[in-house]
Every structure is written in structure tokens, then in C-alpha cells.
Amino acid sequence: MKKILVTGGCGYIGSHTLLDLIGHGYEVISVDNNSRSNTRLIQGVEKITGRKIKNYKVDLCDFDDTHAIFAENDDIAGVIHFAAYKAVGESVERPLLYYQNNLASLINLLRCIEEYQVPYFVFSSSCTVYGNPDSIPVTEETPQKPAESPYGSTKQMGETIIQAFAQKSSTQCILLRYFNPAGAHPSALIGELPIDRPQNLTPVITQTAIGKIPQLTVFGNDYPTRDGSCLRDFIHVCDLAHAHTLAIQFLIEKKNKSNCEVFNLGTGDGITVLEAIRAFEDVNDVKLNYTIGPRRPGDVVAIYANKDKAEQQLGWKPKFTLRDIMETAWKWEKQLQEDETLFTQQNSRLN
Ligand code: UD1
């Protein structure tokens, strides 16, 4: 049983990936400083799998603490690195926080990987590395434009660092460029769990529908797209998670042609923000209170994936539709509310 270290295992994609890895016979450990998460999602994975998962509450920006994890687990076969800040808007407001956190943690991790000669490394990158591309859909070869936000810039720099590292290292690397991860596990035991007010579209949609957010603002309807709102490629988080298992298998089977391979992970369908809102309303029969507002600084106009490479080489095929995304995201939001209500009732009984 190969041991995989998942960084950011308490997070949204990390927890779904832990689940997928366990389902495919891997032993997993997680590291997460819980600065933007808590242990609820890990508990969800434990519930689904019936397994206990070791999570190190460590900040990867602390080299000594990070090193200690590798010293304790010198049999790590692969690292999948999710832990990072990821909000486009916030990164525009607080650029240094993003550069410091996302890059220092990556470098510390790579230093440990080098010292312990970990064979495989998978990096959580983003379609944000393409900037505002000249043509869509984008392939892995599409020239990269300047990043539209410091968040995007940390992903471009992260990729550059890993590419240079891979040239001089025995570690085989894969960069996975996600499009827009959304939805939740069909069990509603894990899903996206924003600690503060969510920034990403789908949790904003579900929190508006449930009444936590009074109104959703669509950031701009004057973009050059079919209805004026931005266009994105929404990929179900379970499909995305499975791609990480396939990426590790791909490296184990030595199918990679270079030390650092790149794959787009999207559905290949471009959906506008307004279409996503309508899909949510239709599937769940819920009316959303939304308004049109100004553009959000840092947003890319339109992007969706050419997913041929991942399909052909990883054997990856997204199974979930946009409807599934909206249905599972809503089921998860309702579950969260149920849990909160139960918690409040229990507390009031105790008081
Ligand atoms: C970006 C990255 C994506 C990454 C994600 C992590 C790009 C093109 N994509 O996604 O790869 O996984 O960050 O956070 O950079 N919107 C609203 N109202 C809201 C929230 C969002 O209109 O309240 C709109 C945004 O303006 C955007 C779309 O919805 O057009 C999606 O936004 P969001 O979910 O934040 O993701 P991206 O910024 O596209």
C-alpha cells in the first residue's frame, strides 16, 4: 500500500481526494494548518470510509515542522499539494499574504521532497495560469498571458519553481490545472466549507439560496460573452479528485514522457455565470435573489478547457454534469444547515 501525503487534506478538493485515494487502495496522511479549514471534512471522509486519518496540524511555511512530518514518515511515495490560499479577490487586496503563503510553503515542501527522495509530486495548479487567453478552449500548450491576480501569479510562479526543480531531481512531477471546482460528494458528508464569507460562485449561490447571504451579486454583465457575464468551466469536485489518483497511477506506471507533465482538468464546456445561476434554479426548483454589480478586479473574461490530454493519457473522463454539480452543492448546503440547527438545539438544551 503506497503512502500518499495530501497537503490541505482538510480542505475542499483535498478531502475529496483523500476519499478517492483510499477508495483506490492508497494509505493517506494529511497536513493542514486549519487556517482556512477545520477537521470537519476529514471527519466526513472517516465516516464514509470507516478509516481513521492522520492529520498533522502544521503550517508548511514552517520548515522544521514540515520536515518533522517527513522524518516521521520516511516511506512517503507521493505528495499531492493542495494547501494554499485561493481567493482571487482577496489576493488583489492582500498580495503579500498570497506570495508569502503560497510560495514559501511550496519551497519548504520541495526541500523535504528532495531530501527524502519522494518519487512523485502532484501540484494543484489552476487555469488561472493562462491569464486572459487569446483563444478558447485552452490546451496545455496555449501561451500563458500575464496573471490577472496575485493568486494567479502564485500559481504561475509555483509551476515555474516545480519545472526547474523537476529538471534537477529524481522526483516525477505533474501539474494539474483545474478549471472551476464545484459541487459536493453525493453523500453530503463532505463538500465546500468556507470558513468566512465564501468568494467562489457555487457556495455563494447555495448560501444565498439558504438565506445566509441576502443577495448574490453577479460581477459584471458587460463582458464580451454570450450574455455579458464571465464564462467558466465548472468541474465536479469528485471528478477532479479522481484525476489526482489517476495522476499518481500514471507516474507509478512510468507513463510520463517528461519529469514534469501538465494536464488541464475541466469538462470542456463553457458556462456563463448567469447560466450557472439558472442551472441551480432549474435543478433545485429554488429562486435565487441576485443582482448585477460591477466587475470584480482580477477576473478573467472567459475560459474553458480542452481536456483531450487528460482523457487520452490519464484515462480521465468527467462523469458528473452541471446539473449534478448544482444538485450535490445544494444537498450539501442543506445538510450543513441541518447540522447547525441540531447543534443549536443541543446547546440550548444544555444551557
Ligand atoms: C479562479 C480560477 C480557478 C480556481 C479558483 C479558486 C480563473 C479563471 N479561475 O476561479 O481556476 O480554481 O479561482 O478560487 O482564474 N462570481 C460572481 N459573484 C460571486 C462570486 C463569483 O459573479 O459572488 C463570478 C466571478 O466574477 C467569476 C465566476 O463567478 O466570473 C467564478 O468565480 P469564482 O468561483 O470565484 O472562481 P474564479 O475566480 O473563476
Side-chain angles (χ1 to χ4, degrees), residues 39-56:
T39 53
R40 176 179 172 143
L41 298 183
I42 288 253
Q43 286 162 17
V45 177
E46 288 178 341
K47 225 182 223 170
I48 299 169
T49 59
R51 298 262 189 90
K52 191 97 198 93
I53 296 164
K54 171 88 188 147
N55 178 58
Y56 292 87

Side-chain angles (χ1 to χ4, degrees), residues 130 140 174-178 247 250 261-265 309-311 313-314:
Y130 296 109
E140 289 79 357
I174 287 187
L175 312 174
L176 296 178
R177 294 180 181 156
Y178 315 149
F250 177 83
E261 295 268 4
V262 185
F263 294 98
N264 280 344
L265 296 178
K309 189 178 173 197
E311 255 181 14
Q313 297 192 24
L314 295 180

Side-chain angles (χ1 to χ4, degrees), residues 13 86-89 125-129 131 148-149 151-152 177-181 192 197-205 215-220 223 229-232 234 273 277 295-296 298-303:
I13 313 174
K86 59 152 195 158
V88 171
S125 188
S126 162
C127 67
T128 195
V129 300
E148 289 295 314
S149 66
Y151 160 73
R177 294 180 181 156
Y178 315 149
F179 285 66
N180 284 64
E192 192 163 4
R197 192 191 155 102
Q199 315 251 349
N200 292 119
L201 182 64
T202 311
V204 172
I205 289 179
Q215 189 178 50
L216 182 160
T217 302
V218 173
F219 297 135
Y223 284 104
S229 62
C230 289
L231 183 134
R232 294 289 185 272
F234 297 93
V273 171
I277 290 173
R295 292 180 176 196
R296 179 173 72 175
D299 268 342
V300 164
V301 181
I303 193 157

